[in-house]
Amino acid sequence: GTAMNPRDTSTKECRAYIAELAEQFSNNPFNPGHPYTQPILWRDGGIYQIIDGECRWRAMKQIGTKKFEAIVYDNLEDAEQARKMAAMGMVATDTKKPLTAIEKSRGVQTTLDMEIPDEAIAPLAKTDAKGLRKMRKARSIVDDAAEDMSLLRLIAIGEYADDPEAVEALTNCKESEYYDIVRGLERQRKHKETLE
C-alpha cells in the first residue's frame, strides 16, 4: 500500500485477488486485457500517481497490458478531491474484494483527516459519533501505530484513554489479542463497580 492506497498488495490474499482480476480482464469481451472500471491517476509532472486502482494496474501488468484508459487529473486540488472520494468509495463499496479489518481502518482513518462530516463517515465505519470521538482520541494517543490497528481496537483504546495501563496493554498487544484484553478490562470494571 501507499499513502493513497491503504490496501496491502504484498499479502497472499491480495496477490490471489490480483490474479483473479487479471483473469477477469483477460476475459473482458468488450475490451480484452482491461478493467471494467477505469483507474484514477494524478499527473505529477511526468509521473502518473495512482489514486484509485492499484490492484487493477497490477493485474493489467501481470497479463501484459501495455496501455489502458484512465481518469487523469492534472490539478492537485482535483486529484485530492478524487482521492477523498476514492477513500470513501473504497470503504463503502461492496463490489470490490472485501477489505481486511486493518485496511478498512486505514481507509476510515484517511477520511477522519479530511473535511468530511462525521455523519458521512460514521456509517462507513459502522459506528456513531461517540465511536468516532474514541477513534480520534486513540489516534492521538498511539500516533502512527494506529495504521496497523482495526477500528474496534482503536475504539477500545479511546474507551480506556484515562487508564494508562489499559492503553499500554491494548497498544502493545497483537491485533488478535486485543479483544481478550478488552474482556478482561470489562470484567475488572464491573468488579470495581460491584465493590463500590
Side-chain angles (χ1 to χ4, degrees), residues 62-96:
Q62 199 172 92
I63 57 175
T65 302
K66 301 292 182 192
K67 295 180 180 180
F68 61 92
E69 292 185 357
I71 300 167
V72 180
Y73 291 90
D74 290 317
N75 182 291
L76 181 59
E77 280 186 20
D78 292 343
E80 276 297 303
Q81 183 63 30
R83 183 174 76 88
K84 290 175 186 178
M85 297 309 294
M88 287 186 70
M90 179 194 68
V91 176
T93 185
D94 291 326
T95 59
K96 293 184 181 179

Side-chain angles (χ1 to χ4, degrees), residues 112-178:
L112 287 174
D113 294 332
M114 301 173 188
E115 294 178 10
I116 297 172
D118 281 359
E119 55 269 20
I121 300 173
L124 304 176
K126 293 189 169 57
T127 189
D128 54 16
K130 190 176 176 182
L132 292 178
R133 283 194 299 274
K134 289 177 184 176
M135 280 182 223
R136 286 192 174 95
K137 187 180 282 189
R139 290 179 73 213
S140 69
I141 295 169
V142 302
D143 201 25
D144 291 342
E147 286 189 15
D148 296 317
M149 295 182 182
S150 66
L151 296 173
L152 293 176
R153 184 174 172 189
L154 287 171
I155 290 172
I157 291 170
E159 175 74 26
Y160 290 94
D162 297 332
D163 183 343
E165 288 180 14
V167 168
E168 184 178 349
L170 288 166
T171 302
N172 296 328
C173 69
K174 294 179 182 175
E175 184 66 32
S176 59
E177 298 169 342
Y178 91 89

Side-chain angles (χ1 to χ4, degrees), residues 4 41-51 72-74 79:
M4 292 188 179
L41 310 177
W42 167 43
R43 188 177 6 235
D44 181 10
I47 298 170
Y48 290 85
Q49 302 275 1
I50 299 172
I51 294 173
V72 180
Y73 291 90
D74 290 317

Side-chain angles (χ1 to χ4, degrees), residues 21 24-25 28 34-40 52-53 56-57 60 68-71 93 95-96:
L21 286 179
Q24 285 178 21
F25 300 172
N28 181 345
H34 294 81
Y36 293 92
T37 306
Q38 295 176 348
I40 300 173
D52 182 55
R56 282 170 275 165
W57 171 75
M60 286 187 284
F68 61 92
E69 292 185 357
I71 300 167
T93 185
T95 59
K96 293 184 181 179

